[in-house]
Amino acid sequence: ILRDGLSYLAACPPCIGNQNNPSGGLGISPLLITEFLHKIADTFVIYFGDPVDESAVKDNFSTAYQLLEEMVDYGWPLTTEPNALTDLIRPPTVMAKIHQAMTGGSSNILSEALPNGTVSNMPWRKAGVTHPNNEIYIDIVEEIDAILSSSGGVISSDVSGSIQAQSNLSGVPDLILTFNDATLIDDSSFHPCVRYARFEKDKVISFVPPDGPFELMRYRLRLDNGEGHNKPVGSMPIQVIPRISYGKFGSSEKGNSGMAGRISLSVTARSISSLIYSSSRKGPLVIEDVAVVIPFPKFVRTANLNATVGRIIYDEAGKIAKWEIGKLDEKTRPQLNGTMVLEDGSEEKVSSSSSISEGEQPPLLVTWKILLSSVSGLNISGLSVTGEHYKPYKGVRNITKSGTFQVRC
């Protein structure tokens, strides 16, 4: 798998019957390997923060090594629950790093005590958990994977969702979560704490939550037809219009016969879209964490870009520009303009119509997030707590964000 520029790989023995190794090992489920690699990546985020890139792993290599020692036993997944791992291996802190730098020795990250949940029938939850304030927060996050044309039309779209929770509850609470319309949920997967038989029977989620942040479930929207496609999104809340052209624009670069490129991007927020907004949302539409990643073709040597809003980070080696806009509303209309210097001999790549051949121009990647909104309208109608005498604070909100959101040029 690929996460934040890091590739997570697993070396697996060959299956029985392989012609190169007839006496090889047993066959291993690919889903087991993929899920375990995702679990390792998620654990690294809990320990090292987000994003977990190459520098984060290098700075915390000893902790990463110890985590793998505990998570894998003789090539098989063993301890994967964050609650148990944090009891075994202390997360790195600034004070521990300062102590390690001053003493010149290794920091004491290992715990001698056995995790409380290891020998219980709920390995995901510690024993004897206490909090001064009992509260639980739940986010219904729906991600839109979409391909848009250069004019803003939706070519294809797909929606997947997840329920992220932050539990700070004392004791061993038993929770029951109900939805306003459970028929919207399809192709769901759950955290091990969920009683799956209860969901299959009554369409409610009954569980004893882990302590701290966790993903309760993932789902896809119910199919709206029999063609095997996910429920489409007709109109997007954000529109990106790119204009990219190549040709001779009056300036001549030595060796490329004056061939150059021009790029122009406009980003706008659209209040009229397919999203369903929560009744608690007030004020105009605000889109947060807006960013546009612009990959350039291989024949582009460099680019000179300017934007009216935000900042631009250009990677010369990877020929990728990232335009970080931040918050976007209907009144703000950010613009990006720039020129490109092409490699020598690039005139062969450019056709007479001032556009490059099909497949040469990579699509733009757009990221964004809108609070208190959803695509499906799925919401939580009730969350009850039994097994404890206190009444916790409960916070629920909907979030819609981009998944793989591409705009063709």
Side-chain angles (χ1 to χ4, degrees):
I1 65 171
L2 181 65
R3 298 271 289 269
D4 296 320
L6 281 183
S7 296
Y8 295 80
L9 305 176
C12 304
C15 300
I16 292 178
N18 189 299
Q19 59 181 357
N20 297 325
N21 187 3
S23 59
L26 297 175
I28 300 176
S29 170
L31 289 178
L32 170 64
I33 300 170
T34 304
E35 181 65 23
F36 181 62
L37 291 177
H38 278 290
K39 198 69 177 179
I40 293 176
D42 294 339
T43 303
F44 283 178
V45 170
I46 294 174
Y47 270 78
F48 310 140
D50 193 13
V52 178
D53 50 16
E54 182 181 357
S55 60
V57 175
K58 286 182 177 180
D59 294 342
N60 302 277
F61 178 77
S62 59
T63 304
Y65 184 85
Q66 293 295 338
L67 285 171
L68 293 177
E69 282 282 316
E70 297 296 338
M71 296 181 74
V72 186
D73 182 33
Y74 200 66
W76 291 95
L78 181 62
T79 305
T80 59
E81 287 298 326
N83 282 322
L85 288 171
T86 51
D87 279 352
L88 287 168
I89 303 171
R90 299 184 182 92
T93 60
V94 176
M95 292 302 298
K97 292 181 179 180
I98 294 175
H99 180 269
Q100 181 180 2
M102 293 179 62
T103 59
S106 60
S107 60
N108 185 20
I109 61 175
L110 294 179
S111 175
E112 299 296 333
L114 187 68
N116 293 328
T118 304
V119 294
S120 72
N121 59 351
M122 291 185 293
W124 58 84
R125 185 171 181 85
K126 301 177 183 178
V129 177
T130 57
H131 290 281
N133 298 316
N134 294 288
E135 51 193 14
I136 181 169
Y137 300 94
I138 295 179
D139 289 341
I140 303 177
V141 183
E142 294 185 344
E143 295 187 2
I144 301 177
D145 298 329
I147 300 176
L148 275 63
S149 66
S150 57
S151 60
V154 180
I155 299 174
S156 66
S157 64
D158 190 78
V159 182
S160 61
S162 65
I163 296 182
Q164 308 290 335
Q166 171 73 42
S167 173
N168 299 320
L169 301 176
S170 304
V172 186
D174 201 322
L175 277 63
I176 296 179
L177 185 149
T178 57
F179 297 102
N180 61 337
D181 187 2
T183 60
L184 295 170
I185 297 176
D186 187 32
D187 193 18
S188 54
S189 61
F190 298 91
H191 189 277
C193 68
V194 175
R195 301 178 179 97
Y196 184 69
R198 179 72 184 276
F199 179 80
E200 283 289 289
K201 179 182 178 182
D202 302 326
K203 296 301 178 182
V204 300
I205 300 180
S206 175
F207 63 103
V208 176
D211 186 52
F214 66 100
E215 182 178 84
L216 181 63
M217 68 174 292
R218 296 194 67 88
Y219 65 90
R220 289 166 61 91
L221 294 190
R222 177 179 54 84
L223 304 180
D224 65 336
N225 52 41
E227 300 177 0
H229 299 295
N230 200 297
K231 186 176 181 179
V233 182
S235 179
M236 297 297 171
I238 188 171
Q239 187 176 50
V240 181
I241 304 298
R243 294 181 180 87
I244 302 176
S245 59
Y246 301 91
K248 296 182 180 181
F249 300 107
S251 62
S252 176
E253 282 289 327
K254 182 179 179 181
N256 67 354
S257 303
M259 302 300 295
R262 287 181 178 175
I263 180 172
S264 175
L265 293 181
S266 63
V267 182
T268 56
R270 304 170 61 184
S271 60
I272 300 176
S273 66
S274 298
L275 298 187
I276 301 173
Y277 297 100
S278 301
S279 57
S280 58
R281 190 181 77 91
K282 298 180 180 179
L285 171 65
V286 177
I287 306 177
E288 300 182 0
D289 301 335
V290 180
V292 182
V293 176
I294 310 168
F296 291 95
K298 295 180 180 179
F299 58 79
V300 173
R301 182 188 303 171
T302 186
N304 182 22
L305 306 173
N306 296 286
T308 58
V309 177
R311 65 169 184 165
I312 301 172
I313 303 173
Y314 182 67
D315 181 8
E316 288 278 357
K319 296 182 180 179
I320 295 176
K322 185 176 183 181
W323 180 19
E324 297 179 348
I325 300 174
K327 290 187 177 182
L328 177 68
D329 56 31
E330 291 182 278
K331 296 181 180 180
T332 306
R333 296 180 179 273
Q335 294 278 342
L336 180 145
N337 296 286
T339 59
M340 293 169 279
V341 178
L342 308 186
E343 296 283 359
D344 296 342
S346 59
E347 60 271 11
E348 299 178 0
K349 294 283 187 180
V350 181
S351 66
S352 58
S353 60
S354 299
S355 61
I356 58 178
S357 59
E358 184 178 357
E360 286 285 345
Q361 181 65 52
L364 308 179
L365 300 176
V366 187
T367 58
W368 50 270
K369 179 177 69 175
I370 302 177
L371 301 179
L372 303 179
S373 66
S374 67
V375 180
S376 64
L378 182 69
N379 212 332
I380 294 175
S381 59
L383 180 62
S384 61
V385 180
T386 59
E388 298 292 339
H389 299 292
Y390 54 78
K391 293 183 178 180
Y393 174 81
K394 310 165 191 175
V396 179
R397 66 176 180 176
N398 294 79
I399 299 175
T400 304
K401 60 186 294 187
S402 60
T404 305
F405 200 88
Q406 299 182 350
V407 178
R408 291 180 177 175
C409 301

